[in-house]
């Protein structure tokens, strides 16, 4: 989507991107967010390779150990190293969050933009479809989709994306309804722009910022939703770790081994925080009026 | 450069009609029944000349302007719009798009909100040039700077990189004019372009439009409710009331010897016809709703000269003096200064 918008930005695209980076550096909030995200990505790649423990190897002599010199984050009920599982689980959680939200953002925005801009019967049909999706509790819908398609990480991602499409579509439509009445849209029409070009070149860039923030917020719930799905055996399959299934796993041991819940919880919290800070900063930076 | 090809080729070309509207009527469908916003309107625009279209809010000025660009939706339109010898009535949306912004351009009342906030002004002007002139990105950017220079914006290379919020209202209106004129249209429609600006900026914008139509031979339809502006720089004037043009003629002629009571009222002049005439300084009553058009002359309920004849029969649009038309049974009105 953004490539189309970027096409209109023309020759200043390069400098605009550099400007975005520069301003991100100057803005402490989004800087912190960016540092957190980079740290998590590094952990998931480099950290997982360096840490000596295997995330799936059970060691029944060392079960439910609190954090110690050898197992910094402790061990779980099967004696697996929790830090190793966190590091490897980061991959799954980041993948689920990024891909499912990304797909939902693109599809939902397209649907909402077309519905809001074109209006009439197309609006009615598209939004009623969205209402149908929206009417189901999201977990139930994701459950149904993964149940039908079969349990795998790929299908879990797809299910989460489907759940979020109507969320983006609704916001995109609401924003489009506001923007399409703006004088500059009518001015573009009076300048002889055809409707498709106005929709993508003029309306889309103006509705995008709040959608990106919504995306950063939903990224968090995507990680959580994946945890439900894997808890129910529909997401990533054991023994492979994800932050979500680690957290679910920990519920049974909250009394005797609370650290099993602490660390995946903190990991999810930090990832969500990082993306929210970045999303917030991005929204501010995308509005030229604030520059 | 292509702009030279569009410049007026000779002096004689000035005054040649470019766009003529005849018997234009526009009817909107409302839940309460059809509402006629524009009724039997005729006028023509000539090369290098400015036609001032005057009237109160809601009299149909802006709808008339939009119809010249085919931008009036969900309305029945009657009459004929001839542009360069072609009837615009049956045009497809695609044909309209090639005319808008290229042959006929429009600038709006609200410069503060008529520019897209997320793109620089240079990008926005370049976009119009790329669509109509099929220029490359670099060429379009170059031409956008040329367009900004043409409307007397200082340091146009720098301004082209600015976002609209960094510019003042007057500057934004200049940008709008630059964008509207970037493709050298033959007709410029200016819908109250100075209403939202303060007075000194207003004068600059008017001077700019005046200069550009002289230099490029653009025909201008200037919509306003400000007769002072009209007196200052329009060549011809058409006065609109409730969807009708009630009087039109050369500006000097019409403003010096207005023949329609509504024009008189607008001018605030005091005809010393009889004692009642003093009430003319304020037009009594209110503009009726377009859905409740009065019978006969639409102005008769507010007209100090009206009699039962005016209430019954619609006055014809007749030429009362050379090139001076008026729709009034009572014209010519004798004015005793």
């Amino acid at each position: 989507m953004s490539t189309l918008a970027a096409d209109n930005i023309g020759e200043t695209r390069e400098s605009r991107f550099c400007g975005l980076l520069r301003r991100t550096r100057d803005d402490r909030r989004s800087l912190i967010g960016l540092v957190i995200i980079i740290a998590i990505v590094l952990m998931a790649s480099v950290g997982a390779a360096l840490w000596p423990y295997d995330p799936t190897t059970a060691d029944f002599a060392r079960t439910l150990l609190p954090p110690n010199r050898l197992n910094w984050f402790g061990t779980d009920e099967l004696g697996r190293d929790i830090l190793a599982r966190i590091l490897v689980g980061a991959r799954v959680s980041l993948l689920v969050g990024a891909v499912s939200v990304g797909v939902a953002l693109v599809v939902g925005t397209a649907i909402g933009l077309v519905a809001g801009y074109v209006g009439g019967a197309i609006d009615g049909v598209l939004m009623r479809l969205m209402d149908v999706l929206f009417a189901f509790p999201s977990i139930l819908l994701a459950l149904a989709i993964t149940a039908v398609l079969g349990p795998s990480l790929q299908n879990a991602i797809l299910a989460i994306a489907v759940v979020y499409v109507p969320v983006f579509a609704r916001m995109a439509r609401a924003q489009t309804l506001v923007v399409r009445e703006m004088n500059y849209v009518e001015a573009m029409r009076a300048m002889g722009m055809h409707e498709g070009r106005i929709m993508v070149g003029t309306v889309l860039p103006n509705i995008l910022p709040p959608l990106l923030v919504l995306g950063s917020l939903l990224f968090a719930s995507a990680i959580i939703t994946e945890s439900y799905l894997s808890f129910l055996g529909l997401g990533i399959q054991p023994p492979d770790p994800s932050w979500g299934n680690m957290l679910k796993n920990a519920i049974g041991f909250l009394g005797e081994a609370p650290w099993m819940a602490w660390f995946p919880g903190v990991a999810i919290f930090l990832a969500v925080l990082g993306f929210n800070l970045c999303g917030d900063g991005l929204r501010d930076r995308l509005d030229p009026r604030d520059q | 450069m292509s702009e030279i090809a569009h410049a007026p080729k000779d002096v004689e070309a000035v005054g040649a009609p470019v766009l003529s509207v005849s018997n234009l009527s526009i009817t909107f469908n409302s839940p309460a029944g059809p509402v006629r916003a524009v009724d039997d309107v005729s006028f023509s625009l000539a090369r290098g000349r400015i036609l001032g279209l005057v009237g109160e809010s809601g009299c149909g000025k802006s709808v008339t302007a939009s119809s010249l660009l085919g931008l009036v939706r969900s309305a029945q339109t009657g009459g004929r719009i001839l542009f360069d010898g072609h009837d615009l009535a049956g045009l497809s949306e695609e044909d309209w798009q090639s005319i808008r912004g290229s042959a006929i351009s429009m600038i709006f009342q609200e410069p503060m909100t008529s520019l897209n906030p997320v793109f620089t002004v240079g990008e926005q002007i370049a976009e119009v040039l790329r669509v109509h002139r099929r220029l490359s990105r670099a060429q379009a950017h170059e031409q956008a700077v040329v367009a900004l220079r043409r409307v007397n914006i200082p340091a146009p290379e720098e301004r082209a990189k600015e976002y609209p919020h960094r510019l003042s209202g007057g500057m934004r209106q200049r940008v709008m004019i630059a964008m509207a004129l970037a493709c050298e249209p033959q007709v410029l429609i200016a819908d109250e372009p100075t209403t939202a600006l303060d007075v000194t900026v207003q004068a600059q914008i008017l001077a700019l439009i005046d200069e550009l139509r002289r230099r490029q031979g653009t025909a201008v339809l200037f919509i306003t409710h400000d007769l002072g502006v009209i007196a200052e720089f329009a060549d011809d004037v058409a006065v609109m009331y409730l969807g009708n043009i009630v009087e039109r003629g050369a500006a000097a002629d019409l403003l010096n010897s207005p023949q329609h009571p509504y024009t008189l009222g607008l001018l605030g002049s005091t005809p010393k016809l009889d004692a009642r005439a003093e009430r003319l300084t304020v037009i009594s009553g209110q503009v009726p709703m377009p859905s409740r058009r009065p019978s006969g002359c639409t102005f008769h309920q507010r007209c100090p000269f009206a009699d039962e004849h005016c209430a019954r029969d619609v006055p014809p649009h007749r030429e009362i003096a050379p090139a001076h038309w008026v729709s009034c049974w009572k014209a010519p009105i004798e004015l005793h200064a």
Side-chain angles (χ1 to χ4, degrees):
Chain A
M1 312 260 357
S2 57
T3 49
L4 284 163
D7 187 50
N8 293 306
I9 294 168
E11 49 279 301
T12 56
R13 188 167 72 184
E14 198 59 44
S15 60
R16 185 178 290 216
F17 182 67
C18 292
L20 191 66
L21 282 185
R22 197 187 59 244
R23 284 189 305 274
T24 304
R25 197 189 56 203
D26 295 342
D27 174 42
R28 190 163 302 161
R29 223 171 17 145
S30 35
L31 184 66
I32 293 173
L34 201 61
V35 167
I36 292 174
I37 293 171
I38 291 172
I40 292 173
V41 171
L42 282 179
M43 270 169 46
S45 49
V46 183
L50 292 181
W51 189 242
Y53 290 96
D54 183 87
T56 54
T57 308
D59 182 353
F60 295 104
R62 302 177 59 79
T63 58
L64 297 176
L65 287 181
N68 58 63
R69 204 163 41 81
L70 291 173
N71 311 98
W72 293 358
F73 286 3
T75 59
D76 66 7
E77 81 281 10
L78 297 176
R80 296 174 299 198
D81 182 67
I82 289 178
L83 179 53
R85 290 180 70 75
I86 293 270
L87 293 175
V88 173
R91 292 178 193 169
V92 174
S93 295
L94 289 181
L95 190 73
V96 169
V99 176
S100 63
V101 170
V103 169
L105 175 71
V106 171
V107 176
T109 303
I111 291 174
L113 180 64
V114 169
Y117 192 78
V118 177
I122 290 178
D123 182 24
V125 171
L126 286 176
M127 291 325 285
R128 289 306 78 72
L129 273 173
M130 293 298 103
D131 286 348
V132 168
L133 287 182
F134 216 62
F136 292 101
S138 54
I139 291 299
L140 211 60
L141 185 59
L143 259 176
I145 295 168
T146 36
V148 169
L149 296 178
S152 75
L153 183 60
Q154 225 171 325
N155 290 340
I157 290 173
L158 182 70
I160 295 168
V162 170
V163 166
Y164 290 155
V165 163
V167 184
F168 284 106
R170 281 194 170 182
M171 185 179 250
R173 177 175 176 271
Q175 290 286 318
T176 304
L177 290 179
V178 174
V179 170
R180 75 167 189 188
E181 299 302 326
M182 292 289 172
N183 283 338
Y184 53 80
V185 172
E186 186 67 7
M188 275 294 123
R189 211 167 275 140
M191 292 293 168
M193 299 295 154
H194 54 84
E195 297 297 327
R197 198 161 179 135
I198 294 175
M199 195 162 80
V200 177
T202 304
V203 178
L204 178 62
N206 277 290
I207 66 168
L208 217 42
L211 290 165
L212 289 175
V213 177
L214 180 67
S216 75
L217 295 171
L218 287 181
F219 181 88
S221 34
I223 293 178
I224 308 284
T225 306
E226 190 277 329
S227 75
Y228 290 122
L229 291 178
S230 39
F231 180 66
L232 294 166
L234 294 170
I236 182 148
Q237 296 304 301
D240 290 333
S242 81
W243 293 347
N245 67 16
M246 290 174 73
L247 200 58
K248 282 292 174 186
N249 211 19
I251 288 173
F253 303 92
L254 273 183
E256 40 201 314
W259 55 88
M260 279 177 67
W262 292 347
F263 295 105
V266 167
I268 292 175
F269 168 77
L270 281 177
V272 169
L273 181 70
F275 277 91
N276 281 0
L277 286 176
C278 261
D280 256 6
L282 198 60
R283 187 221 14 227
D284 294 349
R285 298 288 84 77
L286 282 175
D287 191 338
R289 277 161 295 206
D290 295 334
Q291 285 171 17
Chain B
M1 267 192 296
S2 55
E3 66 199 66
I4 291 159
H6 289 253
K9 285 163 193 75
D10 44 50
V11 184
E12 282 86 350
V14 172
V18 182
L19 185 141
S20 65
V21 174
S22 40
N23 312 106
L24 179 73
S25 66
I26 299 167
T27 309
F28 290 98
N29 287 320
S30 79
V35 175
R36 180 151 285 202
V38 174
D39 185 35
D40 200 18
V41 160
S42 304
F43 60 87
S44 69
L45 300 174
R47 264 200 95 85
R49 282 176 77 85
I50 297 176
L51 171 68
L53 188 59
V54 202
E56 288 165 271
S57 307
C59 72
K61 297 173 301 199
S62 295
V63 178
T64 304
S66 300
S67 73
L68 299 184
L69 282 170
L71 287 174
V72 180
R73 285 141 195 255
S74 60
Q76 284 112 43
T77 311
R80 227 162 43 138
I81 303 170
L82 277 180
F83 173 70
D84 228 6
H86 303 287
D87 195 348
L88 300 185
L91 283 192
S92 67
E93 182 61 19
E94 232 167 77
D95 291 334
W96 271 118
Q97 279 160 6
S98 66
I99 285 181
R100 291 178 200 141
S102 163
I104 305 178
S105 271
M106 186 160 175
I107 50 177
F108 295 90
Q109 184 173 353
E110 290 292 338
M112 302 311 274
T113 55
S114 293
L115 289 164
N116 189 342
V118 302
F119 293 115
T120 66
V121 299
E123 286 161 6
Q124 295 185 49
I125 299 174
E127 170 88 352
V128 174
L129 284 159
R130 285 181 61 192
V131 167
H132 288 303
R133 288 281 171 81
R134 309 203 175 282
L135 297 181
S136 73
R137 200 167 278 179
Q139 285 172 318
H141 183 76
E142 210 170 279
Q143 287 298 309
V145 173
V146 171
L148 288 173
R149 184 174 294 124
R150 208 183 297 148
V151 295
N152 306 332
I153 288 181
E157 291 88 357
E158 300 307 308
R159 290 291 92 74
K161 293 176 197 145
E162 300 270 25
Y163 288 94
H165 70 277
R166 299 273 295 264
L167 304 176
S168 66
M171 213 45 116
R172 288 189 212 185
Q173 194 60 285
R174 276 172 201 270
V175 170
M176 286 306 296
I177 295 172
M179 196 189 293
L181 296 182
C183 296
E184 330 249 333
Q186 287 157 278
V187 177
L188 175 69
I189 299 165
D191 190 356
E192 309 214 22
T194 57
T195 306
L197 305 173
D198 67 49
V199 181
T200 50
V201 180
Q202 230 177 62
Q204 291 169 10
I205 295 293
L206 293 178
L208 175 68
I209 294 175
D210 197 37
E211 180 196 329
L212 290 169
R213 62 108 177 197
R214 279 177 209 285
R215 211 161 63 198
Q216 302 187 356
T218 317
V220 180
L221 176 64
F222 193 93
I223 297 170
T224 183
H225 56 249
D226 186 347
L227 276 166
V229 169
I230 291 291
E232 216 170 295
F233 94 137
D235 301 304
D236 305 290
V237 186
V239 181
M240 256 187 121
Y241 180 76
L242 212 62
N244 294 111
I245 287 184
V246 293
E247 185 170 10
R248 75 192 152 108
D253 190 19
L254 189 142
L255 297 174
N256 287 330
S257 62
Q259 293 300 323
H260 196 281
Y262 179 63
T263 318
L264 275 173
L266 281 182
L267 284 166
S269 56
T270 314
K272 307 272 189 304
L273 227 131
D274 51 47
R276 291 176 60 204
E278 278 177 21
R279 288 169 56 196
L280 266 179
T281 48
V282 173
I283 303 177
S284 62
Q286 283 182 331
V287 184
M289 297 294 290
S291 52
R292 268 182 258 136
R293 292 171 72 85
S295 61
C297 171
T298 48
F299 191 59
H300 79 265
Q301 292 160 334
R302 306 174 69 191
C303 178
F305 307 108
D307 55 23
E308 61 274 27
H309 185 197
C310 300
R312 198 175 54 240
D313 299 312
V314 179
H317 201 56
R318 60 200 165 100
E319 195 166 7
I320 200 154
H324 189 161
W325 286 266
V326 65
S327 302
C328 178
W329 291 115
K330 298 293 170 188
I333 298 167
E334 293 293 324
L335 293 177
H336 304 289

